[in-house]
Amino acid sequence: MREVGVPHPRLPLPAPGERDDPQAFLAWLGEAIPMVEHLGIREMRQEGERLVWELALVPNLNDKGTGFGGALTAQTTLLGWCWTTLWLRERGHARDVVVAEARQRFLAPVTGDYRLVCEPEGEQGPGTLAERLASRGRGRIALVQQLWCGDTLCLEAHGDYAVLPIA
């Protein structure tokens, strides 16, 4: 049981140049953030610069029988946090990440199981973040998350994620 005000232990970093095992990372995430086990995440995978979640709709239903906007918003924010955290971990950094700004645009109702895709908003984002971390010890990256129900884009979110300086 998590305690208020007590940080969860960090997951050990992967070997240099390697990526985290997605299932091990998801298991740790579920311990670190208790609500994760209720989000319906069935799979997490990395596809180049993209991080993809496959999700079940049932745990995220609203009173109308479609996707609950609050749950979907939480998922987009968390997916961006995961993208940033995994990017850092792949480069050997165990750093704190926070969402600095987030906005969503709902385009169509979510009526079935869906996938969320997260990637940098611009090609320069990862390079700029790496440069800022090296020169200032902190940085930010803009990410975009898209929720797809089949071939229908239902939600697009944008978030800025801040990598905090080492305390």
Side-chain angles (χ1 to χ4, degrees), residues 66-105:
T66 60
F68 173 56
L72 305 177
T73 297
Q75 291 167 358
T76 61
T77 301
L78 183 58
L79 183 61
W81 180 91
C82 288
W83 187 100
T84 308
T85 299
L86 289 167
W87 183 91
L88 288 164
R89 290 174 54 77
E90 188 176 330
R91 286 151 185 81
H93 302 290
R95 301 288 292 277
D96 287 329
V97 174
V98 296
V99 61
E101 182 179 333
R103 60 195 180 284
Q104 301 79 30
R105 191 171 62 137

Side-chain angles (χ1 to χ4, degrees), residues 10-134:
R10 290 186 192 271
L11 185 66
L13 289 170
E18 291 186 10
R19 290 185 165 181
D20 280 283
D21 169 49
Q23 297 316 310
F25 183 81
L26 269 179
W28 171 84
L29 190 64
E31 294 170 5
I33 303 173
M35 72 178 264
V36 166
E37 68 183 53
H38 304 287
L39 295 178
I41 303 168
R42 296 189 305 199
E43 180 188 350
M44 179 177 86
R45 65 183 179 275
Q46 291 181 283
E47 299 174 349
E49 287 286 321
R50 294 178 166 188
L51 182 60
V52 180
W53 281 354
E54 299 286 342
L55 297 107
L57 176 59
V58 171
N60 302 292
L61 286 172
N62 64 17
D63 59 317
K64 296 160 202 64
T66 60
F68 173 56
L72 305 177
T73 297
Q75 291 167 358
T76 61
T77 301
L78 183 58
L79 183 61
W81 180 91
C82 288
W83 187 100
T84 308
T85 299
L86 289 167
W87 183 91
L88 288 164
R89 290 174 54 77
E90 188 176 330
R91 286 151 185 81
H93 302 290
R95 301 288 292 277
D96 287 329
V97 174
V98 296
V99 61
E101 182 179 333
R103 60 195 180 284
Q104 301 79 30
R105 191 171 62 137
F106 295 87
L107 305 167
V110 178
T111 57
D113 293 348
Y114 55 97
R115 74 185 177 285
L116 277 171
V117 179
C118 180
E119 62 188 334
E121 198 166 274
E123 283 184 27
Q124 310 86 344
T128 301
L129 177 58
E131 179 183 298
R132 296 257 165 86
L133 287 171

